């Protein structure tokens, strides 16, 4: 039969003299938080100030020792830690006296552990036969114990260690036998560690064999005012390359008489108190005033300037230039603004211009030129970066297409139409002839793709030839391809849009440049222009047709404007065709595309939208919705997707993704067949009148 001291008697009643431990807590149920102790009291520690009296046997200077310590009680798991603060030069191993763990009570209650109820001010606790007297605690501990219902005792005084007190009296009564001199350089090191001034200097050695200047680099370290120098050894100079011309150290300034003798400069000076008065015996003491001491000066940052000559152990070094950090340092600290470098080198003779032999006609010009640049011929390098940037990418073809015709009087050839394609990736041109029925001319490829030279150039020359570039092709331009004269009469929409987007490369599509040029020409004739506009617009609609406007520009500029420049102005001020945006029409087109591509993952797409909606407000930014659709590979064209997202936008540019998905779901919300309805234009004119 198992028995124990904490086992109650019959019926659960305690035996006479038996004290039962509470099963859970001393507080009744319902008080406080239900969270476990390791959550409720996480990172909460009680701190007590205590001391322990330790006997010191076999020592005459002290019989006992008072050791002050800190007792930490961790509320989360009732563990205790005792730490003694470290005292400098104490000679005692200090730090953690008792590591953190649960400490049992002294006998005869060693089966129990210390809890919060065993601690109070001006009480004693015994940890492993060591008696600790608690003198005080911090404010947090006092507040916590008061909330626990503990009546706090008044704080007790903390005794001092008699031996430590005696030693402190001895140290206070002692005077130093010599005055020590303390120079604090830690602040300078902390402020300027890693800050180095760099000067480029030259040493004109008159005793050298060839009397040539030697280039040096001077480094001044602001952390400790030291200097080192390194020589820049040119290639094939005949001199050995040494690591340093001057090792890092303080650089002294020399006295007028020359170098100081060894022993002249000392750290301390002494005085003979008695002299030779007492038996020719002297008594020397340390001279605190440093009477008669020789003070040696060293180069500081204030002594280094461009154009100054410094003495480096007998060598005259000229400071010629410095780096940007050094300039900013002197500009900030000393207010110096003049950093004109000192020229110490004769300018190198101009390099002879490299001439190449004339082109022989064999192979391409670039290939022949590469054969002349080295002993090992290499093929000409292509602009691979430009090829990657301007190569076809999705809907971006990077091909400029123009409609052209022959410039000739032949009745057979003047009606022939050509398509000129310019490839931006490699600056090549290809020409195709438009096939016309019953013309008697077979259409198709007219000119193989390749680069085309501009006419009128010498064939055999040393300079590379000029080729047609994209800037040479525009509406109204006349070009000659291998003896065939073409007039560019039109361009497709992609070409015009590309040139307008890259207006900095194409001056004929730069609206600002064209208007500035037009203003200089048309400003003297502003009255005449107003009259023409008024005559063309009798109903005062402030809109005129394109043809009268074009004829007016041609008559004013006298042919100074090309057809493309006039077209650029017309497109800039043109009245756009307006269509009514029908929501059912857009959704019907979108559902038709999704249905053709068999897209049915609307549930997964909705889950992605809900996941990105952190605030659960039902809306997401436009760009985020577009990114989600792209990452989900929604089979919709870019313009159609953007149009549908724009329809479901609110005033804050937020898309209601629930309505957006319901509109695209062709399984549950199918929209019937649609018809394209185009509204009539407001006016037959396409050009706004701006005078």
């Amino acid at each position: 039969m198992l028995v124990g001291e904490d086992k109650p008697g019959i019926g659960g009643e305690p035996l006479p003299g038996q004290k039962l431990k509470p099963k859970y807590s001393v507080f009744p149920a319902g008080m406080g938080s239900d969270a476990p102790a390791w959550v409720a009291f996480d990172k909460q520690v009680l701190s007590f100030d205590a001391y322990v009296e330790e006997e010191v046997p076999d020592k005459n200077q002290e019989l006992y020792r008072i050791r002050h310590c800190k007792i930490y009680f961790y509320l989360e798991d009732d563990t205790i830690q005792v730490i003694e603060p470290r005292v400098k030069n104490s000679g005692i191993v200090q730090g953690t006296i008792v590591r953190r763990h649960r400490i049992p009570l002294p006998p005869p209650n060693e089966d129990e552990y210390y809890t919060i109820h065993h601690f109070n001010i001006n009480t004693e606790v015994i940890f492993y036969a060591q008696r600790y007297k608690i003198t005080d605690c911090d404010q947090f501990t006092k507040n916590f114990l008061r909330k626990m219902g503990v009546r706090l005792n008044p704080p007790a005084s903390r005794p001092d260690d008699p031996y430590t007190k005696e030693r402190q009296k001895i140290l206070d009564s002692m005077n130093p036998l010599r005055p020590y001199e303390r120079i604090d350089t830690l602040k300078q090191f902390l402020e300027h560690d890693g800050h180095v001034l760099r000067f480029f200097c030259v040493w004109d050695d008159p005793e050298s064999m060839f009397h040539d200047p030697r280039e040096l680099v001077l480094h001044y370290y602001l952390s400790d005012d030291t200097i080192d120098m390194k020589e820049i050894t040119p290639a094939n100079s005949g001199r050995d390359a040494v690591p340093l011309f001057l090792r890092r150290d303080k650089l002294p300034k020399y006295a007028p008489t020359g170098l100081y003798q060894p022993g002249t400069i000392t750290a301390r000076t002494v005085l003979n108190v008695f002299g030779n008065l007492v038996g020719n015996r002297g008594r020397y003491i340390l001279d605190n005033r440093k009477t008669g001491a020789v003070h040696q000066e060293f180069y500081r940052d204030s002594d280094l300037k461009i154009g100054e000559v410094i003495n480096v152990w007998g060598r005259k070094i000229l400071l010629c230039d410095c780096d940007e950090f050094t300039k900013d340092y002197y500009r900030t600290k000393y207010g110096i603004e003049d950093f004109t470098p000192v020229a110490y080198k004769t300018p190198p003779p101009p390099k002879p211009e490299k001439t190449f032999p004339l082109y022989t006609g064999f192979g391409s010009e670039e290939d022949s030129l590469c054969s002349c640049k080295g002993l090992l011929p290499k093929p000409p390098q292509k602009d691979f970066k430009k090829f990657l940037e301007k190569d076809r990418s999705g809907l971006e073809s990077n091909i400029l297409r123009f409609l052209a015709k022959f410039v000739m009087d032949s009745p057979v050839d003047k009606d022939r139409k050509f398509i000129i394609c310019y490839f931006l990736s490699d600056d090549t041109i290809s020409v195709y002839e438009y096939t016309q029925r019953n013309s008697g001319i077979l259409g198709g490829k007219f000119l193989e793709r390749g680069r085309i030279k501009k006419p009128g150039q010498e064939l055999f020359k040393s300079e590379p030839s000029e080729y047609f570039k994209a800037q040479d092709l525009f509406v109204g331009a006349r070009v000659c391809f291998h003896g065939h004269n073409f007039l560019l009469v039109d361009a497709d929409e992609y070409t015009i849009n590309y040139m307008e987007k890259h207006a900095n490369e194409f001056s004929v599509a730069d609206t600002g440049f064209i208007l500035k040029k037009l203003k200089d020409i048309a400003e003297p004739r502003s009255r005449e222009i107003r009259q023409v506009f008024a005559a063309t617009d009798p109903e005062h609609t402030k809109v005129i047709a394109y043809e009268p406007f074009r004829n007016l520009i041609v008559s004013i500029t006298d042919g100074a404007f090309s057809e493309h420049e006039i077209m650029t102005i017309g497109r800039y001020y043109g009245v756009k065709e307006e269509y009514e945006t029908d929501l059912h029409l857009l959704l019907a087109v979108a559902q038709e595309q999704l249905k053709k591509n068999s897209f049915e993952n609307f549930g997964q797409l909705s889950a992605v939208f809900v996941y990105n909606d952190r605030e659960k407000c039902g809306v997401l930014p436009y760009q985020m919705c577009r990114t989600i659709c792209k990452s989900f590979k929604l089979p919709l064209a870019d313009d159609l997707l953007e149009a549908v997202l724009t329809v479901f936008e609110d005033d804050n540019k937020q898309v209601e993704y629930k309505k957006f998905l319901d509109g695209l779901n062709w399984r549950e919300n199918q929209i019937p067949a649609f018809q394209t309805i185009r509204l009539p234009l407001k006016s037959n004119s396409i050009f706004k009148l701006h005078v």
Side-chain angles (χ1 to χ4, degrees):
M1 184 176 182
L2 299 178
V3 296
E5 296 180 357
D6 55 348
K7 185 175 181 180
I10 298 175
E13 297 293 332
L15 299 176
Q18 185 181 26
K19 294 182 178 180
L20 297 180
K21 300 178 183 178
K23 188 174 182 181
Y24 297 107
S25 174
V26 296
F27 299 102
M31 293 184 62
S33 174
D34 295 337
W38 57 273
V39 174
F41 302 112
D42 184 28
K43 298 181 181 180
Q44 295 187 15
V45 184
L46 304 184
S47 176
F48 298 93
D49 297 330
Y51 71 90
V52 59
E53 183 176 336
E54 184 181 34
E55 294 184 359
V56 183
D58 302 331
K59 194 173 182 181
N60 297 330
Q61 290 83 357
E62 53 179 341
L63 299 178
Y64 65 93
R65 183 180 298 138
I66 301 297
R67 303 180 65 174
H68 303 282
C69 57
K70 288 276 190 180
I71 300 177
Y72 296 110
F73 186 87
Y74 295 86
L75 297 170
E76 59 184 59
D77 52 1
D78 293 348
T79 55
I80 301 173
Q81 183 182 15
V82 182
I83 296 178
E84 182 180 6
R86 299 182 185 273
V87 180
K88 188 177 182 180
N89 298 329
S90 64
I92 305 174
V93 179
Q94 297 172 324
T96 302
I97 300 177
V98 180
R99 64 177 178 84
R100 178 182 173 182
H101 67 290
R102 296 183 67 191
I103 300 178
L105 294 173
N109 300 319
E110 61 270 11
D111 59 333
E112 300 179 11
Y113 294 92
Y114 276 98
T115 62
I116 187 61
H117 305 286
H118 295 95
F119 290 88
N120 201 340
I121 301 176
N122 204 0
T123 59
E124 293 183 352
V125 291
I126 300 175
F127 298 156
Y128 299 112
Q130 189 71 271
R131 189 179 299 274
Y132 294 87
K133 179 65 178 291
I134 300 176
T135 60
D136 203 355
C137 62
D138 59 0
Q139 191 62 37
F140 172 78
T141 306
K142 292 180 181 179
N143 297 336
F144 188 86
L145 292 177
R146 288 194 185 101
K147 292 179 181 179
M148 292 285 296
V150 178
R151 185 184 298 274
L152 293 177
N153 301 327
S157 60
R158 188 176 68 170
D160 296 328
D161 185 19
Y163 180 69
T164 305
K165 197 173 182 180
E166 186 67 23
R167 285 199 56 178
Q168 188 63 35
K169 289 181 180 179
I170 297 174
L171 292 176
D172 294 340
S173 63
M174 294 177 61
N175 293 323
L177 299 178
R178 64 183 68 179
Y180 289 99
E181 190 175 13
R182 180 180 178 85
I183 301 176
D184 186 13
T185 58
L186 180 61
K187 179 181 179 181
Q188 181 182 358
F189 173 78
L190 294 177
E191 289 180 353
H192 298 288
D193 183 30
H195 297 173
V196 183
L197 307 180
R198 183 169 59 172
F199 289 89
F200 305 100
C201 34
V202 64
W203 172 39
D204 193 358
D205 188 6
E207 298 180 0
S208 63
M209 180 181 298
F210 301 103
H211 193 67
D212 54 338
R214 303 174 67 172
E215 300 179 24
L216 305 170
V217 177
L218 183 145
H219 293 148
Y220 184 89
Y221 298 87
L222 295 173
S223 59
D224 54 0
D225 299 324
T226 56
I227 294 176
D228 70 0
M229 301 181 71
K230 184 177 181 180
E231 182 179 2
I232 301 176
T233 306
N236 301 325
S237 63
R239 293 191 177 95
D240 294 334
V242 295
L244 286 175
F245 182 81
L246 175 68
R247 67 178 179 85
R248 180 177 176 180
D249 200 356
K250 288 190 175 183
L251 183 61
K253 295 180 180 179
Y254 287 102
T257 57
L259 297 176
Y260 292 105
Q261 296 298 325
T264 304
I265 302 174
T266 58
R268 296 179 178 88
T269 58
V270 295
L271 289 176
N272 189 352
V273 180
F274 297 143
N276 298 326
L277 298 178
V278 184
N280 292 328
R281 292 189 309 172
R283 181 178 179 181
Y284 298 93
I285 64 173
L286 196 64
D287 183 12
N288 189 24
R289 300 291 181 178
K290 296 184 179 181
T291 306
V294 178
H295 299 280
Q296 189 178 19
E297 296 184 3
F298 297 94
Y299 279 103
R300 303 296 300 272
D301 55 349
S302 58
D303 302 321
L304 304 179
K305 300 177 183 178
I306 296 178
E308 293 289 330
V309 178
I310 61 175
N311 192 337
V312 181
W313 300 104
R315 296 172 175 83
K316 304 297 182 181
I317 306 297
L318 174 63
L319 304 182
C320 301
D321 200 359
C322 60
D323 59 357
E324 289 298 328
F325 173 78
T326 308
K327 293 178 183 178
D328 294 338
Y329 176 80
Y330 280 95
R331 190 181 292 111
T332 304
K333 185 174 182 180
Y334 297 104
I336 300 176
E337 296 292 342
D338 186 14
F339 298 100
T340 306
V342 178
Y344 62 91
K345 286 184 179 180
T346 57
K351 293 184 179 181
E353 185 179 357
K354 186 181 293 186
T355 59
F356 296 100
L358 301 178
Y359 174 55
T360 59
F362 293 96
S364 63
E365 293 183 357
E366 292 79 7
D367 187 45
S368 300
L369 186 61
C370 291
S371 302
C372 302
K373 291 183 177 180
L375 296 177
L376 299 177
K378 296 180 180 180
Q381 297 292 332
K382 296 183 179 180
D383 193 349
F384 191 69
K385 180 180 179 181
K386 180 180 179 181
F387 175 78
L388 292 178
E389 292 178 353
K390 299 298 182 180
D391 192 24
R392 177 186 291 273
S393 176
L395 299 178
E396 289 291 332
S397 63
N398 289 316
I399 301 175
L400 306 183
R401 294 181 174 87
F402 299 90
L403 180 64
K405 64 179 182 179
F406 271 140
V407 181
M408 57 180 59
D409 298 332
S410 174
V412 178
D413 297 331
K414 67 178 182 180
D415 294 332
R416 297 171 63 179
K417 297 180 181 179
F418 299 88
I419 299 176
I420 298 177
C421 302
Y422 186 92
F423 299 85
L424 296 170
S425 59
D426 54 0
D427 299 328
T428 55
I429 299 175
S430 64
V431 181
Y432 294 87
E433 184 173 2
Y434 183 74
T435 304
Q436 302 184 49
R437 298 183 62 183
N438 300 326
S439 63
I441 300 175
L442 184 63
K445 184 186 296 184
F446 182 82
L447 183 62
E448 189 73 28
R449 176 179 175 179
R451 294 199 301 166
I452 302 177
K453 296 181 181 180
K454 292 184 179 180
Q457 301 184 70
E458 187 179 353
L459 180 59
F460 302 104
K461 60 182 185 303
S462 56
E463 296 82 9
S465 301
E466 295 185 12
Y467 293 86
F468 278 102
K469 298 181 179 180
Q471 290 75 14
D472 300 325
L473 304 181
F474 52 89
V475 178
R478 294 175 180 265
V479 293
C480 181
F481 295 161
H482 301 305
H484 299 280
N485 296 319
F486 293 95
L487 173 63
L488 307 185
V489 296
D490 201 357
D492 61 356
E493 189 66 22
Y494 174 82
T495 302
I496 297 175
N497 291 334
Y498 181 88
M499 297 174 75
E500 290 177 353
K501 289 180 181 179
H502 302 80
N504 56 337
E505 301 178 11
F506 301 92
S507 60
V508 295
D510 190 352
T511 308
F513 175 76
I514 298 172
L515 292 177
K516 182 179 179 181
K517 187 168 65 171
L518 180 61
K519 181 180 179 181
D520 297 338
I521 299 176
E523 191 170 6
R525 306 174 61 179
S526 60
R527 185 175 180 180
E528 179 184 351
I529 297 174
R530 291 176 182 272
Q531 293 177 357
V532 173
F533 280 147
T536 310
D537 185 24
E539 299 179 359
H540 304 287
T541 59
K542 297 184 179 181
V543 177
I544 64 173
Y546 176 75
E547 286 300 327
F549 171 77
R550 176 189 172 279
N551 298 333
L552 176 62
I553 297 297
V554 171
S555 62
I556 292 174
T557 58
D558 295 331
F561 272 40
S562 63
E563 193 69 31
H564 200 124
E565 292 175 321
I566 302 175
M567 184 174 60
T568 301
I569 301 177
R571 288 173 57 87
Y572 183 76
Y573 290 105
V575 178
K576 308 299 181 182
E577 293 183 350
E578 297 184 1
Y579 296 91
E580 183 179 357
T581 303
D582 190 359
L583 177 60
H584 294 282
L585 174 63
L586 288 176
L587 294 180
V589 174
Q591 287 188 5
E592 189 70 19
Q593 290 190 11
L594 296 176
K595 187 175 181 181
K596 288 182 178 179
N597 290 274
S598 302
F599 182 83
E600 300 180 3
N601 299 330
F602 295 102
Q604 299 179 9
L605 183 59
S606 176
V608 175
F609 275 100
V610 173
Y611 174 78
N612 285 274
D613 186 9
R614 303 294 184 181
E615 300 180 357
K616 306 302 179 183
C617 56
V619 293
L620 286 175
Y622 169 84
Q623 194 62 32
M624 182 180 292
C625 295
R626 187 177 184 275
T627 304
I628 293 174
C629 294
K630 286 296 182 182
S631 62
F632 211 81
K633 297 182 180 180
L634 193 68
L636 288 179
D638 292 342
D639 53 351
L640 181 58
L641 176 62
E642 294 174 359
V644 176
L645 287 173
T646 305
V647 169
F648 291 100
E649 275 186 345
D650 56 7
D651 298 336
N652 298 325
K653 301 297 182 181
Q654 300 284 331
V655 179
E656 300 179 7
Y657 59 86
K658 184 67 171 56
K659 295 181 179 179
F660 169 72
L661 294 176
D662 291 341
L664 295 182
N665 194 341
W666 58 274
R667 278 291 187 187
E668 299 179 0
N669 306 316
Q670 187 174 3
I671 297 177
F674 58 90
Q675 293 181 355
T676 303
I677 303 174
R678 178 172 176 176
L679 298 180
L681 293 176
K682 293 182 179 180
S683 175
N684 294 329
S685 304
I686 62 168
F687 191 80
K688 290 183 180 180
L689 179 60
H690 292 273
V691 181

